[in-house]
Amino acid sequence: MGGRGSLIGIGCAVAALGLAFAQTAPVPATPPQSITAYDMTAGLTWSDNYRRLPERRLRTDIDPTVPSVAQVTADIDPPSNTIATVTLSGTTLVRRPGIEGYLGGDLLIGGYLEGTDLEADLVGTSSPAAPFGATPDAQGRVSSFGFGDPDEVFIEPNLAGAATLRLKDNRLYVDGSVLATQQSLNQSSLLAQESIGGTGDEVTLLGASISPYLVWRGDQDIRGEFRVTGSSVVTLDDQLTSAEFEGVDKYTNDSHAIVVTSAIDSGNRFGKLRVGAQSRYRAIDEQGSDVLAEVETREFSTELNWAIQFSQKVEAIFAVGYDDITLTASDTAGAADQAVFADEEDRLTGGFYRAGFAYRPSERTRVSFAIGERFGETDIRSEWEWRPTARMTLSGRASRQFDTGAQNSVGALSGIGLTNEATLAQIRSLRSAFASSLIDQAIVIGEAVSSLSDRFATGPFTIDEVVFNLSGDFRRTDLLFGMSFIRRTFGEDVEQALSARFEAERALSRKLTMSAEAAVTRTEGGEVVVLSDPLTVAAREDELAQYYRLGVNSRLGRSLSAQLDVAHTVNDVEGAPVTGTSFDYQETAITAAMRWSF
C-alpha cells in the first residue's frame, strides 16, 4: 500500500508543479516594517529547593566487604542555593520587500554561587543516618542517592524564529525556521520551564527546517502548491545528572524528516462549491541514541475536501481521505515493543472522514468545526476567534494529528507556511506597544499552557489538543489567560494533561508596574521515570503541579528598571509509592534583578 500511495503523491506533486508555472498577477510591493524590543537582565535568585527534591528519597548503601547492597527510604532536607543569571530576551519582527519573519525568545546564562555537591549534602543529613560517606572509602563502601552534580555554569536557550523568503512573488517561496530550547527528560511535573537552573536530566533541542515551495494563484482565487520540507532536531544531553546516565554519551535520538506535499484548491471557480485536494509523503528517521531503539516512520496521506456555501456567512465543510503509516523499530526494541509497533500500524492506517461547518458573521468573529474519525478514534478539528473590541481577543482550536516527539517540537513553531502569514498579519494590525507582547506569545515553543510539550519524548504518537486563549490590552493593564488539554497516545501508553495559566500586568504609575502569574497543570498517566530508583521506574501517577508568582518592577530611568519576584511551586502526586522516591515537592524562589531595555 505504501508504494501505491507514494505514486499517487508524486502524481499530485507533478500536477501542482505544472500549475506553478502558469501566468500570475503581480503582488503589490511590501512596505518596509520592523519591530525590535530586547532586554538584558542580570539577577540573583535564592531558592529553598533548587533541585526541586521531595522530602523522601531512596538511598542505596553499598558495602563490598560483606558484600551487601541495602536500599533505605530516607528523609532528606532539600538544600537551598543562590543562582546568578544573565538573560538576553526579546523579539525582532522584520517585514521588507522579499522577506518577512521573526526571531525571539530568551537565552539565559547562570551559575550556582553555593556549589552543587548535592550527594554529600544529602548523605550527610539524611535520616536514618547513612552508614557510609558519599565518596567511596578505601574498601569501596559508599552511600548514594543516585545524583550527579550539574554544571556549575549552565546555559538555557529558549529561542525560535521563522521567516518566509519571496524569491518570485506568487511563484517561488522559501520558508525556514530555527529552534533552540531545553526540555525535561524524565519528569512529568512540567513546570520545569519556571525553574532557574533546571531540575537535572534535561535535554537541549536544536532544530531547523527549510521548505522551498512553488505556488500558483489564478483567477477566481484558484491556488496550487508544491512543497518540499526538510527538518532536523538534534538533541544534546548536556544536563544528565542521574547516576544511571554514567557512561552514556547520548541518551536521546536525533530526528530527521523529509516531507513532500502538494495541494490544489478550486477557490471560487465553481461558484458556491469549493473543492480541494492534497497529499503528503513523510519519512522520519530517529536514531543516534546509545540506549533507545532506532525508529523509522513512513507516512502517506491523501485527502479530498469540499465546502458548500449557503450564504456569505455560513458554509458546510467535508473531507475524506486515507492514511498509510509504516512504523519500523530496530532489533533493540525487543519483541514486545515490535508487537506494539505492528498494532499501531493497524490502528493508524485506514480511511478517515469529517464533516462540519464554518461560520463568519463579521470581520471580528469566525468559527469552524468539523467532527469525524481518524487514526482509529474521534477526530475533532476546530478554530475560532472573537474580537469583541480592538483590545481583546478570544481564540481557540482543536486538532488531532500523528507526529513524533522531536518533529512535533519543530512543528510547534507558528511560522511555517500560511500560519506565518496569518501571525504577521495579526501583529501588523496591532499598535507597536502591544506587538512585542503578541510576538512573544506567538513564538512560544508549543503552547504556553501546554505541559506535555515541555517534556521531551521520542517516537511516534497521536496527539489530541484543545486550546483556548484570551488576551487583552486595556491601556494600563495587560491580561492573558489560557487553557489547554493535550493527550499523547502510543499503544496503551496514554498521557494527558489539563492546564491553565493566567498572567496580568498593571501599570500603577509611570514608573511602577505590578505583575502576577498563576499556572496549574494536572497530568494523568504516562511514565514517571526515576532512573536511579528501581522501585519507581515506569510508575504511573496523577500529578497536580502549581506555580504562582508576584512581581513588581520599578522604572529607574528611560531604559533601566529594577525587578523583584517571589514565586512558589507545588507538586502533588496521588498514589505515590509507600517506599522509594516520593514526587511531592515545594519550592519558594525570590529573584532580584536589574533590567536594561534597548
Side-chain angles (χ1 to χ4, degrees), residues 7-18:
L7 292 176
I8 297 173
I10 293 174
C12 294
V14 171
L17 182 63

Side-chain angles (χ1 to χ4, degrees), residues 23-81:
Q23 294 295 322
T24 57
V27 172
T30 303
Q33 180 183 5
S34 64
I35 299 174
T36 300
Y38 282 90
D39 298 322
M40 177 75 76
T41 304
L44 290 175
T45 297
W46 175 83
S47 169
D48 67 349
N49 186 2
Y50 78 103
R51 288 294 298 275
R52 292 190 168 179
L53 301 180
E55 295 182 350
R56 185 184 67 205
R57 188 175 175 90
L58 192 72
R59 189 187 68 215
T60 303
D61 301 324
I62 303 174
D63 186 354
T65 63
V66 175
S68 71
V69 177
Q71 291 186 321
V72 179
T73 301
D75 293 330
I76 61 175
D77 184 16
S80 62
N81 212 322

Side-chain angles (χ1 to χ4, degrees), residues 145-487:
F145 283 96
F147 285 108
D149 292 331
D151 296 335
E152 292 195 5
V153 176
F154 54 87
I155 299 175
E156 293 185 357
N158 182 31
L159 304 169
T164 296
L165 178 66
R166 295 182 178 85
L167 300 181
K168 185 174 179 59
D169 277 336
N170 261 0
R171 186 77 57 86
L172 180 60
Y173 301 80
V174 178
D175 285 346
S177 67
V178 292
L179 163 72
T181 189
Q182 197 170 74
Q183 294 182 341
S184 176
L185 183 61
N186 67 0
Q187 281 195 304
S188 67
S189 69
L190 301 216
L191 290 170
Q193 70 273 22
E194 315 292 355
S195 176
I196 294 179
T199 55
D201 298 339
E202 294 177 325
V203 58
T204 299
L205 303 181
L206 303 178
S209 70
I210 186 168
S211 181
Y213 59 105
L214 292 165
V215 175
W216 171 72
R217 294 183 178 92
D219 295 337
Q220 298 177 310
D221 202 27
I222 299 175
R223 176 189 171 108
E225 179 178 305
F226 173 68
R227 178 188 293 263
V228 178
T229 303
S231 62
S232 290
V233 178
V234 178
T235 62
L236 305 177
D237 302 322
D238 56 348
Q239 287 289 324
L240 304 182
T241 57
S242 291
E244 276 62 23
F245 281 124
E246 291 182 5
V248 177
D249 293 328
K250 188 171 179 61
Y251 180 78
T252 54
N253 275 322
D254 298 332
S255 180
H256 310 285
I258 293 292
V259 186
V260 180
T261 59
S262 60
I264 188 169
D265 191 293
S266 67
N268 301 319
R269 178 67 177 81
F270 304 116
K272 295 185 177 182
L273 174 65
R274 190 181 74 249
V275 180
Q278 59 187 24
S279 64
R280 179 175 75 165
Y281 178 77
R282 181 165 62 159
I284 305 174
D285 294 328
E286 298 198 334
Q287 57 190 5
S289 170
D290 295 339
V291 179
L292 303 177
E294 298 180 2
V295 179
E296 293 183 356
T297 302
R298 301 294 182 264
E299 176 193 7
F300 169 76
S301 64
T302 184
E303 176 182 308
L304 175 67
N305 55 74
W306 65 98
I308 303 173
Q309 186 178 29
F310 295 107
S311 68
Q312 292 184 349
K313 298 180 179 181
V314 181
E315 64 180 10
I317 52 180
F318 307 92
V320 295
Y322 190 86
D323 295 307
D324 184 3
I325 296 176
T326 302
L327 305 173
T328 306
S330 60
D331 294 338
T332 56
D337 289 339
Q338 295 283 2
V340 173
F341 274 75
D343 290 342
E344 282 297 278
E345 279 190 16
D346 293 339
R347 182 177 72 90
L348 297 170
T349 297
F352 64 87
Y353 68 90
R354 61 181 178 269
F357 68 92
Y359 177 55
R360 185 158 189 167
S362 68
E363 291 295 323
R364 292 186 172 185
T365 304
R366 61 178 179 86
V367 179
S368 66
F369 178 86
I371 187 170
E373 184 175 344
R374 191 172 190 179
F375 306 130
E377 293 184 27
T378 301
D379 178 20
I380 296 178
R381 305 288 182 90
S382 179
E383 289 189 8
W384 62 274
E385 182 181 73
W386 179 41
R387 290 182 288 124
T389 71
R391 297 179 178 273
M392 179 184 292
T393 300
L394 292 86
S395 62
R397 62 180 176 82
S399 64
R400 177 171 173 81
Q401 61 175 317
F402 169 77
D403 212 338
T404 71
Q407 291 297 323
N408 189 247
S409 298
V410 175
L413 288 173
S414 61
I416 303 300
L418 298 179
T419 307
N420 189 26
E421 298 177 10
T423 300
L424 293 170
Q426 186 181 11
I427 292 171
R428 291 193 298 268
S429 69
L430 299 175
R431 58 189 180 89
S432 299
F434 189 55
S436 61
S437 175
L438 176 64
I439 300 171
D440 289 340
Q441 297 171 33
I443 65 171
V444 167
I445 312 306
E447 296 292 335
V449 297
S450 174
S451 64
L452 292 182
S453 63
D454 296 317
R455 180 163 68 84
F456 179 78
T458 189
F461 303 91
T462 53
I463 304 169
D464 297 282
E465 193 169 19
V466 180
V467 177
F468 165 81
N469 287 299
L470 183 154
S471 60
D473 169 30
F474 305 100
R475 292 187 175 88
R476 298 171 63 181
T477 303
D478 289 340
L479 298 176
L480 173 65
F481 174 75
M483 293 187 67
S484 77
F485 172 80
I486 181 170
R487 181 178 64 179

Side-chain angles (χ1 to χ4, degrees), residues 577-595:
V578 176
T579 62
T581 295
S582 166
F583 298 101
D584 295 338
Y585 66 80
Q586 295 191 42
E587 179 200 22
T588 298
I590 302 174
T591 300
M594 298 292 293
R595 175 177 297 178

